[in-house]
Amino acid sequence: MATEDQSLVDTHFNLEDSPDVLTQIGGTVNNDLSSHLLSIEATRLAIAQSQQELQSTKEIADKIQLLEHQLDAAHRALFQMNGQALFADEVGLGKTIEVGMVLKEMVFREAHETFLILTPAQLATQWQKEMREKFGLEFACNYDDGFEGFDAYDKVIASIDTAKRDSYAEEIHRRKWDALIIDEVHYLRNQGTNRYDFVEDIEYQYAFFATATPVQNNVKDLYNIVNLIRPGLFGTESEFERRYVPEKNPDGVQNSAQLNRELRSVMIRHKRGDTAIDFTDRQVRTKTFKPNKQERALYEAVTNYVKNYYSKQGGQHLVMLMLQKEVVSSPWAVLKTVEKWLDGEGKAVVGKEREELLSVAKLAREISRTTKQQKLLEIIRSVNDRMETGRAIVFTQFRATQDAIISALNDEDGEEDIPIHVVNGSLSSDQKDAQIRHFRDRGGVLVTTDSISEGRNIQFCNVIVNYDLPWNPMSVEQRIGRIDRIGQDRDVYVYNLALEGTVEDYVLDKLYGKIDVFHQTVGGLKEILSEREQSSGQFEQEVLQQMINAGSKRELENNFEDMAVDLKSDMRSAKQAQQFNEQVFEGFETGGGK
């Protein structure tokens, strides 16, 4: 639980601190005294002003585009809210950056050093990377190899559901943390849950919580969250309900103006319209085309193999998931995996199964050029024709496909040489940075795997080609987010390539189309997928399961339609929560001092 303590920065200074002042001036009340007192007051104000400025910004200015609303949020959290703040900016405005600026400032002033960051499981490593690369703050993470527990480090990032396990919870509760940070804190909106009780028992001095939707469907959510940040602000729960919950409508809100006044001491909320950011549009072009006879035969052979040998036992479902994704990417991706299995690497195959894989390998070797390669070349030509320095990023999930893309670009005849830049997991961080610099300076095509989809911002480019599509919408958004973010000053063009009649086609049409995934922000997708996205692979396995269970093309379409209905239901719930937030916070004033 948050504890009362001295201010983050001591700005108090008065005459009592310097008892010799009056002695020095003889105690005479005259003009000299007045001048001296004014000088002392000026000194006091100068000291206070310097202590209430963000002093660490120079260290991070070359790594982050510091925006006014983010500086405002960090300053208010530190100096007006005494380190007890709920960051509730709308999606896409950089709440992670705001919290990072606060932590950097605390470390810079050498006053605080033990930080615990709790996030949903899928965001833990992303937070770790952002803290390191943007703020120079090293955090241990519970997903690190050799993680030694919460007693062993002063700065820790962890999945909240891992942290609340008995063995880890005991370690966390033994310590007093300088600051507790919780991302997506709306997951703690219900008192009495294991998560809430676990957090309530943590001892921490300062609290920095973040969510775009602090209220889901009931204004009491807000009471529960704020009570962890600043206990007692709203009085007792019954007092809060009496003031703000309509007796005849428990899911409504009353006296919202008074509620907002109380919230100003603890909550920071910027809306997109409050900022000077000019967000550009996304233009999405989906290219779905018929595979040729060879490609169709290969796809059907692989799909039949996956259905015949799929099993959840011994991790086989993960192996088959990879194979099914490879076959819609390129024949060379699936061939590389099959050849390894036939050579005895990674999977033992004998008898009829081996015969089927030999047939798959034969079909893959017969393909020399794919329809996707041809469609990609058409897009690249179009980009180069329309732009003085054409730039496009081509994403694929597989190294073998990456090699095939590069080969097709190199073999392009009758065109001026196109600079090709390559990034994949075999490159060091410095080597990746060098490739991106060359791409920025020379233009051309950056052919990359998803090893670059997080952590690097490439706003100088505004064209992305999804050569193959991750089945997880969040993974797609992470790709697009490299260029469609704050700082992009042109419309963003997203091209999606998919083979007609494949799982990739159904994902694109039935699922992504139903929730308009390519126009959702990453935060919006988090809201939509929050209940089902317990792990990064769960959504993809659900997609594969629909294919495995289908006995016919019609049944496959119905399975995906059912999944799409569930997603639309999730989206409606997310929109309702957003609308209720807007109602609760209508008229909430933003900006310091208002």
Side-chain angles (χ1 to χ4, degrees):
M1 178 62 72
T3 57
E4 295 292 333
D5 213 317
Q6 67 180 26
S7 297
L8 276 165
V9 180
D10 184 6
T11 60
H12 184 68
F13 182 88
N14 59 36
L15 290 176
E16 294 178 359
D17 296 325
S18 303
D20 59 331
V21 169
L22 292 178
T23 302
Q24 293 173 4
I25 62 176
T28 305
V29 182
N30 53 28
N31 289 337
D32 290 341
L33 173 59
S34 298
S35 298
H36 198 77
L37 288 175
L38 287 173
S39 176
I40 292 174
E41 178 66 9
T43 302
R44 183 190 71 78
L45 290 173
I47 292 172
Q49 179 67 25
S50 66
Q51 289 177 328
Q52 289 203 0
E53 290 177 352
L54 295 174
Q55 299 175 5
S56 62
T57 52
K58 290 182 180 179
E59 289 197 356
I60 59 177
D62 62 333
K63 300 176 183 177
I64 306 172
Q65 182 184 0
L66 298 174
L67 301 176
E68 183 178 351
H69 75 274
Q70 294 170 342
L71 290 165
D72 168 68
H75 189 277
R76 290 171 64 196
L78 285 167
F79 303 119
Q80 295 179 25
M81 297 179 175
N82 196 28
Q84 297 170 324
L86 174 61
F87 293 86
D89 287 355
E90 285 187 337
V91 167
L93 296 183
K95 291 182 289 295
T96 306
I97 297 296
E98 293 168 357
V99 173
M101 290 170 66
V102 167
L103 300 184
K104 180 67 176 180
E105 187 72 16
M106 294 172 74
V107 171
F108 185 85
R109 292 171 181 267
E110 299 181 347
H112 309 282
E113 59 181 16
T114 59
F115 303 147
L116 175 62
I117 299 178
L118 300 176
T119 77
Q122 64 269 25
L123 300 180
T125 55
Q126 183 177 322
W127 266 84
Q128 183 187 36
K129 191 170 186 177
E130 290 218 7
M131 291 301 105
R132 177 190 303 120
E133 294 185 353
K134 295 178 179 177
F135 300 99
L137 300 177
E138 289 292 339
F139 279 79
C141 179
N142 67 284
Y143 294 113
D144 291 343
D145 292 336
F147 179 71
E148 297 179 7
F150 292 82
D151 282 338
Y153 315 94
D154 285 336
K155 298 179 181 62
V156 188
I157 294 173
S159 155
I160 189 169
D161 288 326
T162 298
K164 70 181 176 62
R165 294 174 187 168
D166 289 344
S167 57
Y168 283 148
E170 186 178 341
E171 294 177 3
I172 291 170
H173 290 154
R174 277 201 300 261
R175 302 185 66 172
K176 178 177 180 181
W177 301 86
D178 286 337
L180 174 67
I181 300 89
I182 301 180
D183 191 21
E184 309 294 353
V185 73
H186 53 268
Y187 289 127
L188 293 177
R189 63 186 180 271
N190 296 320
Q191 280 192 11
T193 62
N194 290 336
R195 282 177 177 171
Y196 194 96
D197 292 343
F198 159 69
V199 170
E200 195 171 33
D201 288 338
I202 301 175
E203 189 174 0
Y204 48 94
Q205 186 172 352
Y206 305 114
F208 305 105
F209 296 175
T211 175
T213 51
V215 180
Q216 296 291 296
N217 296 301
N218 192 307
V219 73
K220 286 186 290 187
D221 298 345
L222 194 59
Y223 174 86
N224 294 335
I225 292 171
V226 170
N227 215 42
L228 290 172
I229 301 172
R230 190 171 299 175
L233 177 65
F234 291 133
T236 65
E237 185 173 0
S238 60
E239 289 171 337
F240 178 85
E241 290 181 4
R242 187 170 62 252
R243 287 196 298 267
Y244 302 121
V245 180
E247 186 174 349
K248 295 182 179 180
N249 180 19
D251 292 330
V253 61
Q254 64 184 10
N255 300 324
S256 57
Q258 180 183 343
L259 174 62
N260 287 343
R261 282 195 296 272
E262 290 201 73
L263 280 171
R264 285 172 209 153
S265 67
V266 72
M267 191 177 83
I268 300 164
R269 183 170 176 84
H270 295 100
K271 301 175 72 174
R272 287 194 171 204
D274 300 326
T275 71
I277 303 168
D278 184 16
F279 291 94
T280 58
D281 292 331
R282 281 186 193 178
Q283 307 292 331
V284 181
R285 308 282 189 269
T286 295
K287 305 287 186 180
T288 305
F289 38 81
K290 291 183 178 180
N292 60 37
K293 289 183 179 180
Q294 291 175 313
E295 291 169 333
R296 170 59 64 185
L298 176 62
Y299 176 79
E300 291 178 352
V302 170
T303 300
N304 288 334
Y305 171 80
V306 169
K307 286 187 173 185
N308 290 338
Y309 296 98
Y310 176 86
S311 169
K312 285 193 174 182
Q313 303 299 319
Q316 289 298 301
H317 58 296
L318 296 177
V319 171
M320 298 305 178
L321 172 65
M322 178 181 66
L323 201 66
Q324 193 67 44
K325 291 169 70 176
E326 287 174 335
V327 73
V328 291
S329 176
S330 75
W332 304 281
V334 74
L335 179 61
K336 184 175 181 180
T337 296
V338 168
E339 285 181 337
K340 283 183 178 180
W341 293 354
L342 291 171
D343 290 341
E345 295 181 40
K347 191 177 188 301
V349 288
V350 295
K352 190 174 186 321
E353 182 180 3
R354 186 174 183 85
E355 291 178 11
E356 287 193 36
L357 285 179
L358 286 168
S359 177
V360 167
K362 182 175 182 296
L363 289 169
R365 293 190 189 102
E366 291 174 350
I367 300 174
S368 59
R369 181 60 62 96
T370 66
T371 311
K372 275 192 177 183
Q373 286 175 309
Q374 185 58 41
K375 296 297 181 182
L376 174 65
L377 292 175
E378 292 174 7
I379 292 171
I380 299 304
R381 289 192 205 107
S382 175
V383 170
N384 285 330
D385 288 344
R386 288 187 289 112
M387 299 181 185
E388 183 177 346
T389 303
R391 294 186 183 87
I393 304 174
V394 181
F395 274 103
T396 178
Q397 299 169 80
F398 304 105
R399 289 282 296 278
T401 301
Q402 183 184 45
D403 293 340
I405 292 169
I406 294 167
S407 175
L409 291 170
N410 282 326
D411 290 345
E412 177 72 336
D413 293 328
E415 298 287 336
E416 185 178 339
D417 288 344
I418 301 172
I420 300 171
H421 317 276
V422 182
V423 170
N424 55 49
S426 69
L427 273 61
S428 68
S429 181
D430 287 344
Q431 289 171 326
K432 290 177 182 177
D433 289 341
Q435 287 293 309
I436 292 172
R437 283 197 303 273
H438 296 156
F439 177 48
R440 179 193 63 207
D441 296 340
R442 299 178 58 202
V445 183
L446 175 66
V447 187
T448 179
T449 63
D450 286 314
S451 64
I452 206 174
S453 64
E454 289 184 18
R456 285 175 173 81
N457 304 326
I458 317 176
Q459 295 97 318
F460 57 82
C461 174
N462 68 324
V463 178
I464 276 183
V465 181
N466 288 308
Y467 192 86
D468 47 49
L469 280 165
W471 297 351
N472 186 326
M474 290 295 292
S475 300
V476 177
E477 176 58 31
Q478 286 166 353
R479 287 180 173 184
I480 301 172
R482 295 310 93 216
I483 67 171
D484 188 11
R485 60 193 304 110
I486 293 172
Q488 177 60 264
D489 57 6
R490 296 171 292 174
D491 284 356
V492 168
Y493 292 87
V494 180
Y495 293 89
N496 303 310
L497 307 185
L499 293 173
E500 188 177 295
T502 65
V503 174
E504 188 174 53
D505 182 22
Y506 288 115
V507 168
L508 186 60
D509 179 37
K510 305 296 184 185
L511 301 185
Y512 289 3
K514 293 296 184 185
I515 62 173
D516 196 15
V517 69
F518 294 101
H519 288 94
Q520 293 283 345
T521 63
V522 64
L525 285 173
K526 285 179 191 174
E527 295 299 325
I528 295 168
L529 301 171
S530 61
E531 299 303 323
R532 67 175 65 237
E533 185 64 6
Q534 298 301 315
S535 67
S536 60
Q538 184 168 318
F539 192 94
E540 294 184 341
Q541 290 181 41
E542 188 175 350
V543 170
L544 181 64
Q545 195 67 52
Q546 302 301 335
M547 189 200 78
I548 296 296
N549 292 339
S552 66
K553 180 179 179 181
R554 175 60 61 85
E555 189 175 348
L556 179 60
E557 289 183 355
N558 290 340
N559 287 352
F560 276 95
E561 285 286 359
D562 290 343
M563 195 174 175
V565 169
D566 291 341
L567 282 176
K568 289 195 76 174
S569 176
D570 293 342
M571 184 167 65
R572 283 194 296 270
S573 298
K575 284 184 176 178
Q576 287 173 355
Q578 182 182 16
Q579 289 168 356
F580 191 49
N581 268 269
E582 291 173 357
Q583 177 189 356
V584 172
F585 301 123
E586 183 179 1
F588 186 85
E589 294 177 349
T590 60
K594 292 187 179 180

